[in-house]
Amino acid sequence: MGFNCGIVGLPNVGKSTIFNALSSVGVAASNYPFTTIDPNVGVVEVPDARMAKLDEMYHPKKLTPATMEFVDIAGLVKGASKGEGLGNKFLGNIREVDAIVHVVRCFEDPDVIHVDGSIGPRRDIEVIETELVMADLEGVEKRLFRRAKDAKGGDKLAKAEVELMEKIKPLLEKGEPARKGDYTGEEKALMKGMFLLTTKPVLYVANVSEDDVAGESPLVAEVKDIAASEGAAVVVICGKTEAEIAALPAEDRPEFLAELGLSESGLDRLIRAGYGLLELITFFTVGEDECKAWTIKKGDKAPQAAGKIHSDFERGFIRAEVVAYDDLVRLGSWNAARDKGVLRSEGKEYVVKDGDCILFRFNV
């Protein structure tokens, strides 16, 4: 896969309920902290109406949508960076994901225990953020001590790392995530090898009650205020409602959503938001055998996209024949697109755009 979002939050905020609805992986959802001990991974389809249109056009033997992973990581608690709860293990799991989906409890329920005894989105967010910052600070201090010796010995890479860590450390000491810093392209590349928790992009999920599916409560407003200050996005979801929707046959879901006054499920919005958070785009390969959506990073060039299909395609890349999805649908076929002059031949420097339908030419 290569692209995943880790679902984090305090215990009993509804992470596992949302994850259960997201995927077919069975995860224990219980009214007790630490029910989820090992990270569970669910592969989900990315909602994309374009796939249905391609199916209608080509009637392929196989229709393969884009997918991404969500990883359910057990609840963090205050002191996790010092090993409280199951902290060290879970912080290690977060280190392995590409982005963080932070579930925040925005509902009152006397039957569901809150680890701090009351509902407080701002406090809860600060607890998680603080633990991630403290874990990063400890890691940076250790790495700085180790690499400083190498830098003094003339190691140029070590010198660059030391300069970068001396830039990151003051942020962490102030309790701010490393992602708030201003870095050069070279520094960003170096940072990837440090596996810092607070460099990862964050998406907030406000888990609301069934009486507040629109997310209009003051609790949700707290989450939105924090997200706005960070330039982050918020998706409002009612975990209980999403679980009910996921349990319905696919044909019954639109009517159920309509009764709730919703045009789509919260899970669909969450998946798309996660896809956007990772700066992913989709290109298509089309034909009677298979219509398939492929996931790449925004900014990837044609050979990199070809490599997603097979490494031989990237190594032997000659050119890419490209038709924009809208043009293909408007004209009705690949041949018509060629006849009308909208089929383009692109080389190695072509930056693939979302919705491109591509046929790769290559030497084996």
Side-chain angles (χ1 to χ4, degrees), residues 46-315:
V46 178
D48 193 333
R50 294 174 296 189
M51 292 300 292
K53 189 64 181 178
L54 292 174
D55 188 28
E56 181 184 312
M57 287 177 61
Y58 285 93
H59 305 290
K61 296 174 184 175
K62 190 176 181 183
L63 190 70
T64 308
T67 60
M68 64 180 298
E69 291 180 354
F70 283 87
V71 183
D72 183 29
I73 298 170
L76 292 169
V77 293
K78 190 173 182 179
S81 59
K82 302 299 181 184
E84 291 296 323
L86 297 171
N88 291 333
K89 181 179 177 67
F90 301 147
L91 289 169
N93 292 332
I94 297 170
R95 218 174 287 280
E96 295 172 4
V97 301
D98 300 306
I100 294 172
V101 173
H102 186 166
V103 180
V104 185
R105 180 171 168 176
C106 295
F107 65 89
E108 300 277 0
D109 188 338
D111 295 326
V112 180
I113 301 165
H114 189 289
V115 290
D116 285 324
S118 63
I119 309 302
R122 185 176 296 277
R123 176 204 60 214
D124 293 355
I125 288 172
E126 288 175 354
V127 167
I128 297 295
E129 188 76 18
T130 297
E131 295 308 320
L132 301 184
V133 166
M134 294 302 292
D136 275 354
L137 179 58
E138 182 180 356
V140 164
E141 288 176 338
K142 288 180 179 178
R143 190 182 186 98
L144 189 55
F145 177 78
R146 187 172 66 252
R147 295 299 275 163
K149 294 180 181 179
D150 297 331
K152 287 179 181 177
D155 187 321
K156 291 183 179 179
L157 177 59
K159 185 174 183 294
E161 287 186 7
V162 167
E163 289 174 355
L164 175 57
M165 286 185 283
E166 287 176 342
K167 193 173 182 179
I168 295 170
K169 187 181 174 186
L171 274 174
L172 299 172
E173 288 174 331
K174 289 190 293 184
E176 295 184 0
R179 61 179 170 273
K180 285 194 174 181
D182 186 20
Y183 307 105
T184 65
E186 289 181 359
E187 287 174 332
K188 288 177 181 177
L190 274 179
M191 204 179 298
K192 286 182 180 178
M194 296 180 183
F195 300 102
L196 297 176
L197 302 171
T198 62
T199 58
K200 300 179 188 298
V202 175
L203 168 69
Y204 291 104
V205 172
N207 189 14
V208 300
S209 68
E210 293 166 291
D211 298 328
D212 186 34
V213 290
E216 297 173 346
S217 73
L219 297 173
V220 175
E222 276 189 41
V223 179
K224 289 181 176 179
D225 284 346
I226 292 171
S229 71
E230 299 175 357
V234 179
V235 176
V236 177
I237 283 183
C238 173
K240 284 186 177 181
T241 298
E242 296 300 325
E244 292 175 15
I245 294 170
L248 290 172
E251 61 271 18
D252 294 339
R253 292 173 191 171
E255 183 179 349
F256 185 77
L257 286 167
E259 290 175 0
L260 296 173
L262 301 173
S263 58
E264 62 178 344
S265 74
L267 296 182
D268 282 354
R269 287 184 283 109
L270 171 57
I271 295 166
R272 276 202 301 273
Y275 204 71
L277 183 68
L278 292 170
E279 297 186 322
L280 304 178
I281 62 170
T282 300
F283 76 89
F284 302 99
T285 50
V286 299
E288 293 180 357
D289 285 334
E290 183 178 21
C291 286
K292 184 167 183 175
W294 300 87
T295 300
I296 58 173
K297 292 285 285 187
K298 185 177 181 181
D300 279 357
K301 295 181 179 180
Q304 292 171 287
K308 289 292 178 180
I309 299 174
H310 198 287
S311 57
D312 286 348
F313 285 28
E314 183 171 6
R315 282 194 295 268

Side-chain angles (χ1 to χ4, degrees), residues 332-355:
S333 73
W334 195 268
N335 288 336
R338 178 183 287 109
D339 293 342
K340 293 294 183 180
V342 298
L343 174 66
R344 311 187 309 277
S345 181
E346 302 287 1
K348 291 183 178 181
E349 294 305 308
Y350 177 68
V351 176
V352 177
K353 298 177 179 61
D354 185 66

